Amino acid sequence: MDSLTNLLTRVLSGDRRAVARLMTMAENGDAGAREAMAKLHPHTGKAHIVGITGPPGSGKSTLVDKLALEFRRLGKSVGIIAVDPTSPFTGGALLGDRIRMNAIALDRNVFIRSMGSRGHLGGLASKTGDLVRILDAHGKDVILVETVGAGQSEVEIVRTAHTTVIVEVPGLGDDIQAIKAGILEIGDVFVVNKADLGGADETARELDTMLDMNPVDTGWRPPILQTVAKSDTGILEVVDAITSHMDHLKETGNLKDRVREREKTNLLELVRDRVVDSLMENDNERGLEDLVDSIMKYELDPHTAAERFLKPIR
Ligand SMILES: Nc1nc2c(ncn2[C@@H]2O[C@H](COP(=O)(O)OP(=O)(O)O)[C@@H](O)[C@H]2O)c(=O)[nH]1
Ligand SMILES: [Mg+2]
């Protein structure tokens, strides 16, 4: 048995160290990782993938921690992937998350992985997707993916989920309009965390009004729940809502559409990454810089520059 097959066998039989190792390979874009991911594919598709997003400091990690405990109580195994765009670290637990998630870090049925996104020039969503697939094949029932709801890549990550939970905090006031613009459409469950701070009812009402203005045709009206993640209040309701959403997806047949959409997005991102990678090979980095120079000197417009850059593969 070669070492890659051996690694895969270990991942599939629940060996945590093998999982960590394969994740590092996948994050580094290791050649062996691609082959391994291909062999893993038939073993995926069983997990319920849940995206958790919201502004920094809204309590996502705290909530994820509590959700994981609740899912464990229900007998489900849990995978957690925390994508932190502010962190330069990759391939290991961030100190903060490691401390915060200590309660569940000792549970062998929970696997936690943190991922910094700096240094991933694009490709973050597909790399997160690889980690999710590894945990899926590894046999985790529920996979919680935490990401800061800010940029485009975060939205893309969340789109890889079956169920998306949007975490907000009370007292957003006028800001709520701006934040909600792109977030409303992707939220399946809304959580107003830090309800202990007061003003949660009002924030929940505002969200409710905005959801009314954005009617969905899927037949799922996203519930708006209030939690105090810090002290375990309202967690069970969030778990129930997440589970109900999956039930709804299955009953309506929307699950297949979602998965299909996800695979399509993922495939396109992989293609995009490969195209860019192959264009950057053979010292073409220099060519890129030259084109940028030309744009800045108004000798070339961006579209023409893009056309020239693409020439080697046209
Ligand atoms: N008052 C209050 N603080 C909370 C609650 N949940 C989390 N926090 C605190 O908010 C801070 C940020 O939490 P964290 O989970 O790291 O937020 P994240 O950046 O969204 O992952 C921490 O100090 C938490 O202890 C809550 O329900 N109420
Ligand atoms: Mg966090």
Side-chain angles (χ1 to χ4, degrees), residues 44-51 132 136 141-143 145 157-165 186-189 220 242 245-246 249-250 254-260 262-263:
T44 62
K46 293 179 211 89
H48 182 179
I49 304 162
V50 182
V132 167
D136 189 346
D141 298 316
V142 180
I143 300 169
V145 184
I157 291 166
V158 157
R159 284 230 304 255
T160 69
H162 298 118
T163 303
T164 298
V165 179
I186 60 169
D188 301 306
V189 175
W220 173 261
I242 290 169
H245 180 251
M246 179 45 99
L249 285 179
K250 283 180 180 157
N254 289 341
L255 181 61
K256 214 172 145 201
D257 294 345
R258 267 211 190 201
V259 173
R260 194 186 167 80
R262 183 179 86 210
E263 294 302 355

Side-chain angles (χ1 to χ4, degrees), residues 57 59-62 82 84 97 100 146 148:
K60 297 178 298 300
S61 297
T62 313
D84 187 343
D97 281 329
R100 184 161 46 239
E146 175 194 336
V148 175

Side-chain angles (χ1 to χ4, degrees), residues 54-63 97 100 146 148 193-197 227-231:
S58 53
K60 297 178 298 300
S61 297
T62 313
L63 183 68
D97 281 329
R100 184 161 46 239
E146 175 194 336
V148 175
N193 188 42
K194 305 201 182 182
D196 54 319
L197 298 184
T227 57
V228 185
K230 212 172 59 171
S231 56

